[in-house]
Amino acid sequence: MSTDTLLPQAAPKKPSRKPASRGQAARTRRREAVGLVLPSLIPILVLSVAPLLIGVFLAFTNARLVRHPDYGFAGVDNFTRLAGNTLFWDSLRIGLIWTVGVTVLQLAAAMGLALLLNSGLKLQGLTRVLALVPWAMPPVVVAIMWQMIYSANGGPLNAVLGSVGLPSDTNWLGDFSTALPAVIVVGVWVGMPQTTVTLLAGLQQIPAELHEAAAVDGAGAWRRFTAVTWPALRPIVTSITSLNFIWNFNSFSLVYVLTAGGPGGKTMVPVLFVYLEAFKNREIGYAAAMGMVLVVVVVLILAVYLRSQFRDDRAADVRKGR
Amino acid sequence: MRLLLRPAQYAALALYILFLGFPLLWLISASVKSSGELNSLSASLLPHEWHWENYAEAFTKQGLLHSAWNSLVVALASTALSVLIAVPAAYVLARLRGKVRVAGVGWILVSQVFPVVLIILPLFLILRTLGLADNLVGLTLVHTTYMLPFALWMLQGYVAAIPVELEEAGAMDGASRLTVLRTIVFPLLAPGVVATAMFSFVSSWNEFFFALVLLQSPENYTLPITLNMFVGGEGKVALGPLAAGAVLAAIPSIVFFSILRRKLTSGLMAGAVKG
């Protein structure tokens, strides 16, 4: 992400107001700065940095979630045990299908909508407000709403399918084959608007002359998209794809309320798996080890993705003779 | 080809509007349907008869009112706390250069990648040790901490937009730094603070995961948790009141977000809405 564009830069510091005591003024300012930052530092250290470190520590213990915990160092036991836990690896596979599915479809759907909204159609205002609604709604409400949509008893989706003569008794969230795709659609519905707004902001920064020049050269719509729009959007696409990937991988509430991992574990995303291991099976050491594996997997995938993007940029630069 | 383009575009836009808007319409429609109509197999978008009593029932019979009150208290308290804490820190982040700034911005970005699964277990242990698990004060502190990065991010942008020269003019006139902050910076920052506060409120109001893990006694449940309780088991019976409760739970967020629409766009990339 480019911090430069998002953070308006403060003007360069002018020389100190009291030249006679520059060193002292700088020290005072530093003390002031620490004083002003301290109130936010304390909750952050206690409630997010410390838990992170303790979490890593827990992964190497056999801690259980009981009233008076009594646990010992377990070395890499949790990890060796995890290696043989096929259910966990299943959930990781499901989680990756969910994450990649939602992230890619989100991007594709959002790109389509952003292009439409950028091409001077009417109804823009309405669409933009609508586009914010899914993002603003509590995830629980979103899940309840979609349960109604998918319902096998009088749900509108089946009603519509029935009215055009298609099978209309699918239990979308309860059927082994349809549950995961159905949940992915909800994920797209929730995340697409945010991506759309971001892409739209990017589209509006592309100078119209570029498109006009390409059109004069006889480029069709698709050619203009691949030659002008896409390269200009690349940096934005890379950063929202990375962030969406992380958010989708870590998302819990939607799937938890929609299916609770069912039917038969077909939508058991890894975050849900870890939650159940920790708070239902009460094995927090083991669950922490799972959490660590998940973090490593996400970081590795992102590193590979970002590296490939970076390499593409370099290759493009070389072609342009830079 | 050209002639066909516009209609095709409008058709596509209509599909998007349908996809985005229909679920919401269906929820609202379900909230005013009678239970007989909800349980019948024929689905229609417009209810045959309008039944407003689902709304009354949602609050009186299902104990949603108490949860809504809990949500309101937690959201207001964590919003006040996070804004109070974030304003001075955001000022420092925007105005000072060097290590503090690098560390601050770095942490804000890293916080987006925070593996909540890994954090939630020790967080639960820490809060239990402090006697703050299953406690609204504990949930408030957690919400505050997890809203801080985005609040800092938004606010420091607003601070950076205030010209430093104004502050220097104040200092030149002999005002202390605190006076400068109070009389010059804060009034100019007010709209940004309001926007940040609204956003923080919505994040806390919508939050589900921490509340699910931390709260165990029904009298402490926040609105999302109570709504979730009605989804499984008994709640299925009262689909109408459930839909009504869901609509009511969504209203504050949607209202605030509509107001914030423009202001949020710039902050979108930093994002703060996590499932």
Side-chain angles (χ1 to χ4, degrees), chain A residues 7 32 47 66 109 119 136, chain B residues 6 16 128 146 156 177 206:
Chain A
L7 300 174
E32 276 176 357
L47 294 177
V66 286
S119 60
Chain B
R6 275 283 127 135
Y16 273 110
R128 197 173 68 176
Y146 287 89
Q156 66 89 30
R177 194 175 193 85
N206 288 354

